[in-house]
Amino acid sequence: MLITLRPELQASVWITDDRSAGTWARRRGITTKETYDLVHEAVVDGLITSQDGHDLLGAMVAAGRHLHRVSRRPADLQL
């Protein structure tokens, strides 16, 4: 995998909602994030509101996207 072979990519982040791919990457020391993490960071950084982030995660699940984590309420994304 390129991210493990190229020195200039060592600080890269693996983004996946595939549980086995995430486990594989973490075992190799690759920083791994899921969709929930990205939405949470967008809320904390003030890029979107917690309500918008919560609604987005809910819409993704409603559209058939499999997410391992979702917010139960908008405030979850602020923690």
Side-chain angles (χ1 to χ4, degrees):
M1 169 178 289
L2 196 58
I3 197 170
T4 62
L5 299 175
R6 305 266 308 262
E8 66 270 23
L9 299 177
Q10 287 180 347
S12 296
V13 177
W14 179 276
I15 300 169
T16 184
D17 287 305
D18 180 309
R19 188 175 301 268
S20 61
T23 299
W24 182 90
R26 282 187 290 281
R27 285 183 180 159
R28 283 153 184 80
I30 299 169
T31 300
T32 307
K33 295 185 180 187
E34 299 175 4
T35 299
Y36 180 92
D37 300 314
L38 300 178
V39 172
H40 166 72
E41 289 175 13
V43 169
V44 170
D45 291 346
L47 300 172
I48 61 173
T49 66
S50 58
Q51 184 65 57
D52 286 344
H54 177 70
D55 292 346
L56 176 61
L57 292 171
M60 293 171 111
V61 170
R65 179 95 188 267
H66 178 72
L67 302 178
H68 296 287
R69 292 184 293 163
V70 294
S71 51
R72 289 182 288 149
R73 60 186 190 275
D76 292 347
L77 295 168
Q78 297 172 338
L79 305 173

